[in-house]
Amino acid sequence: MLVLTSLCFTAMVLFCLAMTKHREQVIVHEVSILAVHFFRPLAWLLLSFTAYLSVDMYGWSIGPALLFGALTIAILLLTLLLTYRAKIVPKLAIVMSLIAIISIFIS
């Protein structure tokens, strides 16, 4: 479940960075327009991989339910962070990505 939540959080941060309002809220530096155009497709790709991983790990009976539960937790965490501590979102996304990668390779 930690892997799914970490990957969902990273995907939601990429969606967040694809939007101008949230990107200005989270990142101080200017991001190139080419990089911004890759955020949304990369987020969809990561979300699709998370769905595949969920079904592969838990099966079709419980996998989609766990995916939507992890997505709910990730969106709630991101919403609270954007409201109160927006500047730590990119750092936390990197940490969550590393946690997901380590968890995938361990299991």
Side-chain angles (χ1 to χ4, degrees):
M1 186 73 175
L2 179 66
V3 175
L4 299 178
T5 306
S6 300
L7 291 174
C8 286
F9 181 79
T10 305
M12 291 301 114
V13 169
L14 286 171
F15 279 128
C16 172
L17 292 175
M19 294 182 254
T20 307
K21 176 184 172 185
H22 293 302
R23 187 175 53 248
E24 291 172 353
Q25 182 182 7
V26 171
I27 298 176
V28 182
H29 306 326
E30 190 68 29
V31 180
S32 71
I33 195 74
L34 185 62
V36 171
H37 287 302
F38 281 112
F39 286 150
R40 188 167 292 140
L42 189 60
W44 278 113
L45 186 67
L46 186 58
L47 212 54
S48 299
F49 175 71
T50 306
Y52 166 75
L53 194 63
S54 172
V55 170
D56 186 49
M57 288 171 62
Y58 299 106
W60 279 103
S61 61
I62 196 74
L66 287 176
L67 173 69
F68 286 115
L71 197 56
T72 302
I73 293 168
I75 291 173
L76 177 67
L77 178 64
L78 183 62
T79 303
L80 290 173
L81 284 172
L82 284 176
T83 304
Y84 297 108
R85 300 282 306 250
K87 299 298 180 188
I88 67 167
V89 169
K91 296 172 190 165
L92 189 60
I94 293 170
V95 169
M96 295 289 266
S97 299
L98 292 175
I99 288 172
I101 290 170
I102 291 169
S103 298
I104 288 172
F105 285 124
I106 287 176
S107 59

